[in-house]
Every structure is written in C-alpha cells, then in structure tokens.
C-alpha cells in the first residue's frame, strides 16, 4: 500500500523535476517552518520489529572516536526492495553508521544481521562480497581506466590467465543497457560527465549483484536531467528487490523516493517512519531538535565605521567586478549557490588566490595583498571552510595552533615567549569554553566544534579587524554551533567586521545584519536583515524570477 | 553532544598519549643502550676508551649531516644531495688549501685553512638555499631537485679532482678541529664536541624560535600554515640552506680527518642520514620528531657498524646490514603511524 502510494508520488515528482534548476531546496524550505513545538523531539522508543522482509538489521551500534562519541547505540533496519532515507544534520552520525555497514570502520559495540545472518565486515571488500555496495559522494574511480575496467576493478574476468576483454566488455554493455545508458564501455571514465560516472558506479553495484546499495549524496553534483535518470533507475532496482539506503541533504528528494525515513541526531536514531507520514516541517524539527530562535542567538551590534572596502575585484572566469563594504560591528552574510564564487571571493581578498584587478581598503586605507601573509598583516583573517586540511596543524598541540598566526608578535628577540603563549592559550581555552584536557593536547583528538574554536582563537590572537568565516559551522554539532554564533556576536560587539559565507540559508538569515548574494561571480544584490527571506535570496542566487521559484516548490506541490 | 563526552575518552587518551610519547622518545635510546650493552658483553676490545672515542669520532660527520636532514624531513621534504655536498665541500676546501688543481698540478694560490673552510661552508649554504628556491619557486618535487643536485655536485667534485683525492697539510684551524679535549682522562674528539654544540643550538632553534615552530607547522600542514599568514617558502628556502650548510660542515669534518678532499668522502651518507632521522623518531611525512632522536639514530647505526667489525664480520657484508637497518627504520615509521593494519597495537599517533 505504502509502496504503491510513494511510487506514484515519486513518479509524479520525477516528471515535475524537469522544470527545476539544481537548487538546494531543502534549505529553501527550512525556514518556512517556525518550529515552535518541542514535544515532537522525543525519541521514538519503540523496538525494531524483526519482520520477515528485513534484509538488514543493525542493533545497538556504538562508535567512539577520540574526543567524540559518534554513535550511541543506534538501531537501524532495511527491508528488501525498500528505499530507506537516512537524514540528519552534519555530524549526526550518518556517514559513520554507513561506514560501519560497509566495512570501512568497525563498530565498538553492537551487531549487524544481514540476510538473516550475523556479519562483521572488516574491510569494504568483505561487505561488497556480501552484497552491500556503497556509491560515495566523491566517486571512487580510476579516471584514466575504461568504463569496463572500472566496473570490473578487483573482480576481473580471466580466461587462460589473460584478461577476458571480450567477455568483460559484453557484460559491461549488458549492465549499461539495463540502466538505459548509451555508453561505450571502452572509453575512459573521465571522458564522461559526472552524472554518467555516477551511473557507472551503479552499473558496478549491479555487477557485484548488490542486495543493498548505499547512496551517499548521489545527486550533489548531478543536473536535473541526471537526477531524473537516477530516480528512474532507483525505481527499477526497487522493483527487482534491491534495497537502497539513500543519504541526502536534499530533503525533498527523500520524500520523492523513500519508503521510510530514519532520522539521526547527535549519534542517536531519533525515529524511523514511513515517508508518507512525515512532513518537511516535522523532519527538520526532528533533525534539528530545537527551534530557530534558540538556534541563532543573534544580537544586533551598533554599526561602526567602514572596516573593509573592495572595489572592482576581478579574476578571469571566477570573479567579475565585485565591490562591497563591510562595517565594524556588522555580520555581512555572503550567500549564493555552490560554485557561485563565494569561496573564490574571500580567498582573493585574503591573498590566497591571485586577482587580475581590483582594490582593497582596510579602514579607509588602500592595501596591497598578494599573499595570506599580507592579509594577516593588515588585519584580515580567514577561517577556511575545511578546518582539517586548511585551518589546523592536527599534529600540533592546542597551544601551538592557537599562537601560530600571532607568533611573530609573541617573540622576545630571537626566541618565542613560552610564558606569554601559555597565558594566551589559557585565556582562550577559558573564554571560548574549549573542552580540552590540556594545552598540550594534539588538536586531532578534539571534536569539530572545539577545533573550530581553536581556529577562531588562532585568528583572535592576531586582533583582526576583518574576520571572514567560510562555512563556520560545517560538521559541527548543534550545541557547538550556538557557541560559535555567540562568539561571532561578541566579536561584532567589539567592533570587528565579520564576513560569513554559508550554504545554509537559515544560518545566513539567522546571523547576518546584511546579506550579499553572489551569482556566477557577480554581486546579484544586497538584502538588509529585515527585508531578507529565503525566497529573496534564492531569487538573487539563481537569477530566477520570483514566479518561477514559486512554481518550482517541488515539495509543497508534491505533498499537497 | 560531543562537547560533553570529550572528557571521558579524552582523558584516557591523554594518559595513553603521554605514555606513547614517552615510549616514542625513549624507545630509540633504549635500543641504543641495549646494543651497547650487547657489544660490551660480547666484545672485550669494545670496552676500551679508545673504541668509545672512535665511536664519537665516527658519529661526528654523519651526525651533523643528519641534523640538517632532520630539518628537511620535519617539513615533509627530503634532501638527497647531502652526500654530494659532503664531498663537494671537502674538495672545495682541499683545493683552496693545497693550492693544488687536478692531478697535482700546482696553481697559483693556496689560502689559509680557516678561509678555505669559510668559503666551502658559504658555498654549502648558498647551494642549499638555491635548491630551496627552485623547490619552492617552481613548486618542484624536492626528491628530484636534490637528486639532480647530488649528481651535479658529485660531477663537479669528480671533475675538479680527476677522481683522485687532494691531500692537504692541516693549518692551525684544522688542527684545532681534529684535536681532542681531555675530559676526566677521556680524550674526547673535538668533532664530537662540535656536533654536541651544533645539536644544542639546533634544539634551541626548533624549540624556542618562530623558525622552529614553523618547521613543525609546515610538516604538519603546509596549507594551513600558509593560510595562517606565514611565509612558508622563505622558511623552506632556509631549511634547505641549513641542510646544505650542515652537510658542508660534515664535509669539512671528513676532509680534515682524512686530510684529503675526494669525491668519495660522502659515500652513503644520504641514506644513513635519512635512516638516522627516521630511527630517531621523526616521521618521514613530516611534522613530528626532534633533533636528539636523530643523534641517537646516528649512534645506533654506528654501534651496529662497530659491532660488525668487532664480531669480525667481513666488511663487504656491512652494506647488507646497513640496507636492512634502513628498511627496518622506514617500516618503523609506517608502524608508528598506525598504517599497518595487522600491527594496530603499536599506534603511537592517534
């Protein structure tokens, strides 16, 4: 019953999605909800029914990493021929759970029952052999090898000790045909578009006779057309009894194709419900677990003098004539679609990327910025979107990371001043409420929220005038997010100009005094806090007319 | 929320980490003491003060070279040119002192030894920095650049000497360098004292200067360091400069001891220096390690070599043992990083 109903809706949406551009609608819908009811956040305590159709059962899965308990006794089950959506905020534990299932990680406790038998996968290969195949967000392909070679990688057919090319090409062709793909299996995969590469992964899963396919954000880099195709194929796989675990931030997709939806939050499974019984509002509520006002503790600070002015910034192919100002006490949100040039813009201001032309003024004085070093000297700081690869030296201690950018000022003569460094680290650990056993702890052992605070401390130690945050709360759990927001308030109050890039529109709307929207490397417009809304931002970000956005509200149409 | 769960596993991790760090720090030292103990018991001739003195002397040149290598490896790079630099610096100084050109042909000048040494060291520093400039400026792989310079420096040494050693008479400066200090009846070779002084200075640099901190930071995460507003390229140029300079110092020590500048003076020193660094606990990937471990690593290798001699192992077989030690050292590095699945118990990092 449920199945046929959701399938119908699914088909309806597949058809509708033709008119859509590839926009993250989940965020568009997120703030439409005010989310004031809190009773809804209670944990579903009902035990898992072990019904006959259960393909997979995970029970009491626990996983601890240094500094964080990623999974706290999670139960999760999948039935044959089911599309099971797994949703949750960043850091909720989705990826960890799936990595345990696919043999990348081993659980600290708990059991996995697959096809009626207890299993324990020590390597991805074992999971694959058992019939669980994962299609990762970043494709795991060898770019220069052919489609056939990629499909058969690790399970090549041989005849008389030599590779059986004919047989393999034939089989590859059969698999591709099954997916309605017109691809020559002899071409290298990197000659295909991202969408088709994804399909090759699906073909590979079919080749491994997968009973369960895990799709981790499969649509993140697909066009509308390709999403369409993918959904059609998922429907066919379902019909053949293949189960699919579907992870996506695009909530409307999960409504489109899922039979059931499980929600994870802070390492716990909050509930599993038939998708037809959920609404987007309810889903977000369950995911976030708190209402918006609590989530974004915005304080308005008095707007002071101009701290940063950018005039006519250009970089061929990336940035086109960008001009704006940021003021003391202000949080200037920078919104835009992925790839619109937001990160490129702040990297250019920070001197991390070269620019073709443009002027930058700090406190009214023109400055020449050719390297991050120049930027730091002029009081500009950048918290990069990827903490681990660009923000922190994971192998160094908390203290050494905190003083890294300011070390030039912490030296006495030739030597570093250990006492002063200690004092600075102590004060930051206390003021930013950083949870660490000691200053000497290696930052790699801390949680995402604490790591982000350390990056923030590193820049605060330099007394910056302009602080740029690129995705400040990515991969941080909810409680730590609020703490980061409070620190942003505090910095604004002290007269720092803050630039904040965020892909999460609720965050942009919740924390910004003013919002600059970037579209294809150009400033599409500015919105004041009181006039900003998701619709206005998306309008500018996509270059779409308001009416079209209205029309393309996929989800609302589909549930109505 | 992970914020609240940090304390429990964190604290346990902390004590474990301290333990592991202590093990990582003292491990090589324990191995060294063990080796000395074994040799002490098995080989009576090893117990003489002379053999200890000899050990210090043997460790001197390679010790200085390995110190420079430590800096390079800490930043995640490698310097394969050091052995050629040892030869080159020795040859340069020898030619300048002897006033002898190829094959004994007398040329017009011979200068005093301290001047010759100064010139050779300056050459080492500048050539090292030049390599650093190429590596950073053109974003080239240090492996290739330093391998190329190894060939060039060896080639120059060969051309200048025509394959023969250039013999010198030591002047007052080199006499001082090769002298001994009487310490409680033990004649401590001056080269070893020089090594200790250099190591102490380098330890100060690594521990208590910006430059040292940046060295670790670059090895740990070069991108993050650059984005912290640090001039990474400049630090790296100096790192290769230091390596070149210290290799040249090593070259002078070898040359003064042999009283001869020859292109073979540095043979094998690159491999041994890298092995010593890794044995001493510095990660080949950079960011972790220290200078004293390297000195211990040098001694471990030298004691093993001495042991082979005292055990009357034919010298031709020496190469086999040294090769095995090097592979073992790298295996150790991988194990330390926890990259060997079936050896997970030995994780020292996470």
């Amino acid at each position: 019953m449920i199945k046929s109903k959701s399938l119908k809706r699914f088909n309806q949406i597949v058809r509708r999605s033709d008119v859509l551009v590839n926009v993250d609608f989940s965020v568009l819908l997120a703030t439409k909800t005010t989310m004031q009811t809190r009773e809804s956040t209670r944990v579903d305590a009902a035990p898992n029914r072990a019904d006959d159709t259960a393909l997979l059962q995970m029970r009491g899965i626990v996983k601890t990493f240094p500094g964080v308990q990623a999974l706290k006794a999670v139960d999760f089950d999948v039935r044959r021929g089911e599309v099971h959506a797994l949703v949750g905020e960043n850091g909720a534990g989705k990826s960890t759970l799936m990595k345990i299932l696919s043999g990348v990680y081993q659980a600290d406790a708990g059991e996995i029952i697959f096809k009626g038998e207890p299993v324990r996968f020590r390597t991805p290969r074992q999971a694959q052999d058992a019939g669980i195949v994962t299609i990762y967000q970043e494709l795991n392909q060898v770019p220069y090898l052919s489609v056939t070679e990629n499909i058969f990688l690790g399970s090549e057919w041989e005849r008389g000790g030599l590779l059986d090319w004919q047989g393999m090409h034939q089989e590859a062709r059969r698999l591709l045909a099954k997916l309605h793909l017109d691809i020559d299996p002899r071409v290298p995969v990197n000659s295909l578009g991202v969408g088709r590469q994804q399909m090759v992964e699906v073909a590979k899963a079919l080749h491994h006779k997968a009973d369960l396919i895990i799709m981790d954000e499969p649509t993140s880099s697909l066009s509308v057309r390709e999403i369409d195709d993918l959904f059609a194929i998922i429907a066919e796989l379902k019909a053949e009894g293949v189960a699919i675990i579907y992870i996506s931030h695009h909530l409307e997709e999960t409504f489109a194709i899922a039979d059931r939806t499980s929600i994870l939050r802070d390492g716990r499974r909050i509930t599993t419900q038939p998708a037809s019984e959920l609404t987007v509002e309810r889903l977000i509520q369950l995911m976030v677990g708190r209402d918006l006002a609590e989530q974004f503790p915005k304080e308005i600070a008095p707007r002071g003098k101009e701290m940063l002015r950018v005039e006519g910034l250009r970089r061929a192919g990336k940035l086109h004539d960008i001009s704006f100002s940021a003021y003391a006490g202000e949080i200037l949100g920078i919104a835009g679609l992925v790839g619109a040039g937001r990160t490129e813009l702040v990297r250019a201001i920070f001197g991390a990327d070269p620019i073709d032309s443009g002027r930058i003024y700090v406190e009214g004085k023109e400055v020449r910025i050719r390297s991050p070093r120049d930027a730091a000297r002029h009081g500009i700081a950048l918290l990069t979107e990827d903490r681990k690869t660009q923000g922190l030296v994971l192998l160094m201690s908390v203290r050494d990371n905190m003083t890294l950018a300011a070390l030039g000022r912490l030296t006495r003569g030739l030597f570093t001043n250990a006492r002063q460094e200690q004092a600075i680290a102590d004060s930051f650990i206390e003021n930013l409420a950083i949870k660490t056993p000691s200053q000497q702890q290696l930052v790699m052992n801390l949680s995402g929220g604490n790591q982000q605070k350390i990056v923030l401390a590193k820049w605060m130690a330099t007394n910056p005038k302009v602080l740029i945050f690129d995705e400040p709360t990515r991969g941080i759990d909810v409680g730590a997010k609020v703490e980061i927001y409070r620190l942003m308030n505090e910095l604004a109050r002290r007269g720092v100009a803050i630039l904040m890039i965020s892909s999460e529109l609720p965050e942009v709307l919740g924390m910004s005094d003013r919002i600059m929207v970037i579209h294809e490397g150009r400033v599409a417009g500015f919105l004041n806090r009181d006039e900003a809304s998701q619709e206005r931002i998306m309008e500018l970000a996509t270059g779409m007319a308001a009416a079209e956005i209205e029309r393309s509200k996929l989800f609302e149409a589909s549930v109505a | 929320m992970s914020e609240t769960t940090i304390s429990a596993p964190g604290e346990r991790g902390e004590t474990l980490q301290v333990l592991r760090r202590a093990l990582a720090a003292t491990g090589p030292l324990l191995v060294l003491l063990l080796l000395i103990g074994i040799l002490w018991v098995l080989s009576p001739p090893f117990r003489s003060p002379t053999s200890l003195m000899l050990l210090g002397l043997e460790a001197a040149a390679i010790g200085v070279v390995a110190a420079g290598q430590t800096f390079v490896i800490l930043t995640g790079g490698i310097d394969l040119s050091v052995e050629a630099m040892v030869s080159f610096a020795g040859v340069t100084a020898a030619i300048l002192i002897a006033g002898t050109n190829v094959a004994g042909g007398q040329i017009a000048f011979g200068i005093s030894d301290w001047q010759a040494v100064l010139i050779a060291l300056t050459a080492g520093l500048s050539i090292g920095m030049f390599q650093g400039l190429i590596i950073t400026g053109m974003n080239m792989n240090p492996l290739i650049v330093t391998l190329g310079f190894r060939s060039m420096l060896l080639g120059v040494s060969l051309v200048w000497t025509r394959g023969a050693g250039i013999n010198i008479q030591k002047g007052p400066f080199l006499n001082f360098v090769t002298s001994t200090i009487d310490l409680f009846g033990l004649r401590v070779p001056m080269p070893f004292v020089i090594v200790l002084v250099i190591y102490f200075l380098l330890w100060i640099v690594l521990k208590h200067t910006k430059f040292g901190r940046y060295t670790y930071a670059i090895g740990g995460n070069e991108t993050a360091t650059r984005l912290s507003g640090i001039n990474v390229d400049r630090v790296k140029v100096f790192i290769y400069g230091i390596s070149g300079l210290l290799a040249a110092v090593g070259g002078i020590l070898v040359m003064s001891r042999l009283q001869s500048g020859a292109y073979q003076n540095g043979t094998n020193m690159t491999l041994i220096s890298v092995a010593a660094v890794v044995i001493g606990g510095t990660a080949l990937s950079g960011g972790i390690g220290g200078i004293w471990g390297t000195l211990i690593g040098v001694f471990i290798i030298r004691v093993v070599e001495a042991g082979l001699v005292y055990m009357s192992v034919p010298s031709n077989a020496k190469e086999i043992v040294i090769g095995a030690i090097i592979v073992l050292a790298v295996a150790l590095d991988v194990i330390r990083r926890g990259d060997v699945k079936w050896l997970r118990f030995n994780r020292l990092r996470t």
Side-chain angles (χ1 to χ4, degrees):
Chain A
M1 235 277 278
I2 291 166
K3 235 177 233 174
S4 67
K5 191 175 156 198
S6 66
L7 246 176
K8 212 164 96 192
R9 201 172 63 207
F10 162 79
N11 288 332
Q12 177 188 352
I13 283 156
V14 167
R15 258 178 282 119
R16 284 196 59 90
S17 63
D18 279 342
V19 298
L20 294 180
V21 286
N22 193 9
V23 168
D24 189 344
F25 282 94
S26 63
V27 290
L28 195 146
L29 291 161
T31 40
K32 289 226 54 156
T33 57
T34 33
M35 294 183 289
Q36 257 124 21
T37 41
R38 303 208 68 208
E39 44 77 35
S40 53
T41 58
R42 79 194 140 78
V43 175
D44 181 7
N48 261 344
R49 281 173 296 127
D51 53 86
D52 304 335
T53 53
L55 173 68
L56 167 80
Q57 281 181 292
M58 300 177 85
R59 290 209 199 105
I61 302 292
V62 175
K63 180 70 187 176
T64 307
F65 294 113
V68 57
Q69 195 174 3
L71 295 174
K72 300 156 188 165
V74 172
D75 295 337
F76 180 69
D77 73 285
V78 178
R79 299 174 193 151
R80 282 184 189 280
E82 164 185 62
V83 177
H84 195 139
L86 189 57
V87 300
E89 287 197 298
N90 291 324
K94 294 168 297 187
S95 301
T96 308
L97 187 66
M98 289 304 104
K99 281 180 177 165
I100 286 169
L101 179 55
S102 58
V104 178
Y105 294 153
Q106 268 74 55
D108 297 337
E111 57 171 354
I112 303 174
I113 297 164
F114 186 59
K115 291 195 265 193
E117 285 180 23
V119 289
R120 198 178 178 87
F121 303 128
R122 288 196 175 73
T123 64
R125 182 64 188 262
Q126 287 178 359
Q128 193 174 303
D129 290 345
I132 299 177
V133 176
T134 307
I135 298 178
Y136 290 101
Q137 198 172 350
E138 318 85 27
L139 299 169
N140 280 339
Q141 291 173 330
V142 189
Y144 304 110
L145 292 185
S146 71
V147 172
T148 301
E149 284 167 300
N150 271 287
I151 289 175
F152 282 86
L153 197 64
S155 62
E156 289 81 359
W157 288 357
E158 286 174 335
R159 188 186 280 170
L162 296 174
L163 287 175
D164 177 14
W165 282 111
Q166 212 184 347
M168 287 197 289
H169 282 317
Q170 213 161 26
E171 171 68 3
R173 246 178 237 121
R174 188 184 72 78
L175 293 169
L176 294 170
K178 202 171 165 192
L179 300 175
H180 314 293
L181 291 172
D182 180 27
I183 298 175
D184 180 353
R186 288 166 303 185
V187 302
V189 283
N190 67 346
S191 68
L192 306 174
V194 184
R196 303 198 126 201
Q197 289 182 17
Q198 194 110 43
M199 295 300 174
V200 170
E201 286 288 286
V202 178
K204 189 172 174 179
L206 291 182
H207 165 65
H208 287 290
K209 306 205 169 25
D211 296 298
L212 177 60
I213 301 179
I214 302 168
M215 296 189 177
D216 190 356
E217 298 280 350
T219 57
S220 59
S221 46
L222 298 190
S223 72
V224 178
R225 182 85 242 157
E226 290 165 337
I227 292 175
D228 241 28
D229 293 343
L230 180 70
F231 283 7
I233 284 162
I234 288 175
E236 281 181 36
L237 291 173
K238 247 171 71 107
E240 289 181 21
V242 176
I244 286 159
I245 298 176
Y246 193 90
I247 300 177
S248 182
H249 281 113
H250 301 245
L251 297 184
E252 86 289 354
E253 286 177 9
T254 69
F255 282 97
I257 60 169
D259 301 305
R260 289 192 300 161
T261 301
S262 286
I263 296 145
L264 290 187
R265 185 172 79 222
D266 292 334
R268 287 197 175 81
R269 187 187 59 125
I270 301 302
T271 180
T272 298
Q273 290 183 16
S276 53
E277 290 173 17
L278 282 166
T279 62
V280 163
E281 286 81 2
R282 176 115 179 101
L283 201 57
I284 291 171
Q285 214 167 36
L286 290 169
M287 275 169 59
V288 175
R290 63 181 69 206
D291 63 47
L292 270 183
E294 241 180 289
Q295 210 183 341
F296 302 106
K298 172 69 180 167
E299 293 166 21
I300 310 267
R303 176 159 149 173
K305 62 177 174 178
E306 183 188 76
M307 298 298 277
L308 174 76
R309 185 160 91 245
V310 173
E311 281 181 6
L313 201 67
R314 286 171 209 271
R315 186 178 172 209
K318 300 274 188 196
L319 305 170
H320 310 285
D321 196 17
I322 291 188
S323 302
F324 69 93
S325 296
Y327 299 89
E330 175 187 59
I331 298 179
L332 175 65
I334 304 179
L337 302 179
V338 172
R342 295 168 304 172
T343 297
E344 287 80 358
L345 170 64
V346 296
R347 280 180 62 91
I349 295 170
F350 189 64
D353 290 337
I355 57 172
D356 297 331
S357 65
R359 291 161 189 270
I360 295 169
Y361 302 82
V362 174
E363 287 186 298
K365 281 196 286 284
E366 181 169 3
V367 294
R368 283 183 81 84
I369 295 175
R370 287 176 167 172
S371 67
R373 183 180 163 71
D374 292 339
R377 218 174 25 215
H378 292 301
I380 301 175
L382 171 66
L383 280 82
T384 51
E385 63 185 317
D386 191 334
R387 285 185 297 281
K388 287 186 176 165
T389 63
Q390 303 182 347
L392 293 164
V393 185
L394 293 172
L395 295 171
M396 292 208 314
S397 67
V398 169
R399 188 207 297 160
D400 288 355
N401 270 284
M402 282 179 176
T403 57
L404 188 59
L407 204 56
R409 286 172 226 179
L410 297 177
T411 48
R412 242 187 344 211
L414 274 176
F415 303 110
T416 54
N417 188 339
R419 198 172 304 160
Q420 210 182 338
E421 283 190 63
Q422 261 169 34
I424 285 174
D426 270 336
S427 78
F428 277 125
I429 288 173
E430 194 188 319
N431 293 333
L432 307 192
I434 296 171
K435 305 235 170 42
T436 173
S438 80
Q439 296 187 356
Q440 294 300 338
Q441 177 71 286
L442 301 187
V443 290
M444 67 187 296
N445 293 331
L446 301 184
S447 69
N450 283 305
Q451 288 183 343
Q452 183 71 313
K453 287 182 193 170
I454 289 167
V455 183
L456 185 55
K458 176 180 81 177
W459 287 115
M460 284 171 73
T462 66
N463 291 320
K465 295 166 185 151
V466 179
L467 202 49
I468 306 171
F469 291 83
D470 194 352
E471 304 288 357
T473 60
R474 178 173 287 176
I476 290 178
D477 62 35
V478 185
K481 276 185 184 179
V482 176
E483 290 186 64
I484 298 282
Y485 296 141
R486 289 194 200 285
L487 290 170
M488 289 167 93
N489 283 335
E490 165 80 26
L491 285 163
R493 196 162 53 230
R494 282 199 231 155
V496 176
I498 295 177
L499 272 57
M500 180 185 74
I501 294 182
S502 176
S503 292
E504 293 180 41
L505 286 188
E507 180 171 280
V508 175
L509 288 165
M511 291 307 296
S512 308
D513 295 290
R514 213 155 49 100
I515 298 165
M516 173 167 73
V517 186
I518 307 286
H519 171 55
E520 291 179 353
R522 292 186 171 77
V523 177
F526 290 91
L527 297 168
N528 283 324
R529 184 175 175 80
D530 45 13
E531 59 175 346
S533 68
Q534 306 247 354
E535 288 77 9
R536 295 278 292 142
I537 292 177
M538 288 315 291
E539 217 176 282
L540 293 167
T542 57
M544 242 203 278
E548 275 178 78
I549 291 202
E550 219 36 60
R551 196 144 40 86
S552 58
K553 270 188 203 153
L554 172 63
F555 165 70
E556 284 180 334
S558 66
V559 285
Chain B
M1 251 156 270
S2 65
E3 303 299 311
T4 50
T5 56
I6 174 94
S7 57
E11 268 163 27
R12 211 183 63 213
E14 176 78 346
T15 45
L16 217 71
Q17 208 176 49
V18 167
L19 219 99
R20 281 167 168 169
R21 258 192 238 168
L23 200 76
T26 56
L29 188 61
L30 292 178
V31 171
L32 177 62
L33 293 176
L34 193 72
L35 285 173
I36 291 177
I38 292 172
L39 206 54
W40 192 273
V41 172
L42 294 183
S43 166
F46 178 72
R47 293 171 211 164
S48 74
T50 320
S51 77
L52 285 181
M53 193 200 88
L54 216 60
L55 199 66
L57 196 57
E58 291 277 349
I62 185 66
V64 184
V65 175
Q69 191 73 266
T70 308
F71 272 73
V72 178
I73 290 181
L74 274 177
T75 61
I78 196 160
D79 187 350
L80 300 180
S81 71
V82 288
E83 62 181 39
M85 184 63 79
V86 167
S87 304
F88 174 80
V91 165
T92 305
I95 287 176
L96 290 171
I97 293 167
T100 310
N101 199 358
V102 288
Q106 199 71 33
I107 53 171
F109 60 103
I111 57 176
S112 65
D113 56 357
W114 69 268
Q115 288 171 319
V117 166
L118 195 67
I119 290 171
L121 297 187
T122 311
L125 177 68
S126 345
I127 294 171
M129 287 175 74
F130 185 59
Q131 294 186 63
L133 277 175
I134 296 176
I135 290 164
T136 56
M138 313 199 32
N139 204 12
M140 280 173 75
N141 188 334
L143 207 79
I144 302 300
V145 174
T146 57
L147 195 61
F149 269 80
R150 173 186 177 278
S151 260
M152 287 189 267
L153 291 170
L154 275 184
V156 171
S157 308
L158 205 55
V159 168
W160 282 358
T161 61
R162 267 205 203 157
I166 291 183
N167 298 328
I168 55 151
Q169 297 293 320
K170 287 190 280 189
F173 180 73
L174 288 185
N175 268 327
F176 171 74
V177 168
T178 49
S179 64
T180 56
I181 295 179
D182 203 345
L183 203 71
F184 310 116
L186 203 66
R187 289 189 302 122
V188 182
M190 184 58 76
F192 185 61
V193 176
I194 294 173
V195 168
L196 287 183
V197 171
I198 288 177
Y199 268 77
F200 181 73
L201 291 178
L202 293 178
W203 175 71
I204 297 278
V205 168
L206 272 185
K207 208 76 190 167
H208 294 290
T209 68
K210 269 194 304 185
F211 183 81
R213 187 75 54 80
Y214 295 162
T215 303
Y216 281 104
I218 291 170
N221 189 340
E222 188 170 330
T223 309
T225 309
R226 198 184 298 273
L227 291 178
S228 295
I230 288 150
N231 193 337
V232 169
D233 288 355
R234 200 175 63 181
V235 174
K236 282 169 89 173
V237 167
F238 277 111
I239 291 280
Y240 285 92
I242 287 175
S243 180
L245 172 66
L246 291 176
V249 172
I252 297 301
L253 292 179
V254 175
M255 189 275 287
S256 61
R257 193 173 154 215
L258 302 174
Q259 297 193 40
S260 167
Y263 81 95
Q264 308 99 319
N265 276 8
T267 305
N268 260 346
M269 280 188 151
T270 301
L271 265 183
I272 294 179
S273 69
V274 173
V277 171
V278 175
I279 291 172
T282 298
L284 266 180
S285 49
I288 288 185
I291 194 85
W292 294 114
T294 301
L295 191 59
I296 293 169
V298 166
F299 270 103
I300 287 177
I301 294 172
R302 282 305 184 222
V303 168
V304 169
E305 280 184 344
L308 295 177
V309 173
Y310 288 115
M311 309 291 204
S312 320
V313 175
S315 67
N316 289 340
K318 201 179 83 177
E319 293 280 315
I320 302 172
V321 177
I322 295 299
I325 289 179
I326 289 164
V327 175
L328 215 69
V330 178
L332 201 73
D333 181 48
V334 179
I335 293 166
R336 257 197 310 251
R337 267 184 286 143
D339 284 356
V340 185
K341 277 203 174 144
W342 46 274
L343 273 175
R344 278 286 161 78
F345 62 91
N346 202 3
R347 275 166 103 158
L348 292 171
R349 267 216 206 158
T350 53

